[in-house]
Amino acid sequence: MQAKSVVMCSLETLKIDLKGMKTDEMSREFDLNDDFFEALDGSQLEHGALHVSVSIRKATGFYELLFHTEGTVIVPCDLCLDDMEQPIVTDNRLIAKLGTETNTEDDDVVTVDENEGILDAAWLIYEFIVLAIPIKHVHAPGKCNSVMTQKLEELSGAVRSGKEEAEEIDPRWSALAKLNIKD
């Protein structure tokens, strides 16, 4: 098995030549940083440091790719909105087939143009990373921006007092409620 490690500077390095595989198994490794997220058009993430290992196995009629991604990305905290490091560890499996038709029904199978035989893994890896981010991301207790959390507490107190005022029944509604009670 041949292994190749690449320091990320261009999305071209994330293209995997499936047709050019000399052996039935091969592995590739990529170190992704802020340049990776900047190079992707439409990326919601901007910062991170991740290591991606890809194991590729050639079988009859298809290629099996196993992705292991580990590192951190920077996301805003849901409470204080300050940037925070979000650890990422994910394992993903993908089947690649050479062909001319595009199969969009199965998320785990991708068709690669048989004339080129090159799989562009950049956007796939990005999607694996994004899907590994938890829906809720908050700092560890006590690590949020204290100024922001204090302001949130003040504002939530104002909202609570506003609800209490709304719970007092308007006299007009009281009169209507009395009419409804009559039999």
Side-chain angles (χ1 to χ4, degrees):
M1 184 187 284
Q2 62 186 29
K4 193 179 197 181
S5 183
V6 178
V7 175
M8 188 64 229
C9 59
S10 150
L11 295 181
E12 286 297 313
T13 60
L14 289 166
K15 292 186 177 182
I16 302 170
D17 187 1
L18 298 174
K19 280 178 72 173
M21 283 181 62
K22 308 259 187 268
T23 61
D24 288 345
E25 290 187 25
M26 138 175 124
S27 66
R28 302 274 308 266
E29 296 189 19
F30 308 102
D31 290 314
L32 308 177
N33 57 29
D34 296 351
D35 295 336
F36 167 73
F37 298 110
E38 186 178 316
L40 283 174
D41 189 30
S43 171
Q44 294 175 351
L45 295 173
E46 295 179 2
H47 306 288
L50 300 127
H51 181 77
V52 181
S53 300
V54 184
S55 173
I56 307 154
R57 186 179 60 87
K58 184 178 181 180
T60 307
F62 67 93
Y63 299 84
E64 179 184 40
L65 293 94
L66 301 174
F67 294 83
H68 176 76
T69 307
E70 202 165 330
T72 58
V73 292
I74 305 299
V75 294
C77 174
D78 290 340
L79 292 178
C80 70
L81 301 178
D82 278 358
D83 285 345
M84 62 172 275
E85 283 190 3
Q86 178 64 55
I88 300 291
V89 177
T90 183
D91 291 301
N92 304 92
R93 179 178 178 262
L94 182 73
I95 300 294
K97 296 181 178 182
L98 297 177
T100 54
E101 56 191 56
T102 55
N103 178 9
T104 58
E105 294 177 18
D106 192 350
D107 291 338
D108 297 333
V109 178
V110 64
T111 305
V112 177
D113 186 324
E114 64 186 350
N115 296 325
E116 290 182 17
I118 296 175
L119 174 67
D120 187 353
W123 196 256
L124 295 168
I125 292 170
Y126 173 74
E127 287 179 349
F128 296 151
I129 293 166
V130 170
L131 291 173
I133 298 173
I135 292 173
K136 185 176 180 179
H137 26 86
V138 294
H139 284 106
K143 300 290 184 185
C144 275
N145 180 332
S146 59
V147 173
M148 181 63 88
T149 54
Q150 182 180 0
K151 192 68 172 172
L152 284 171
E153 287 173 9
E154 289 172 12
L155 291 173
S156 66
V159 170
R160 274 191 225 114
S161 66
K163 284 184 181 177
E164 290 170 4
E165 289 174 14
E167 287 177 9
E168 293 179 18
I169 298 175
D170 185 331
R172 293 172 290 183
W173 291 111
S174 305
L176 287 174
K178 290 177 188 175
L179 292 174
N180 193 21
I181 296 174
K182 291 182 182 177
D183 286 300

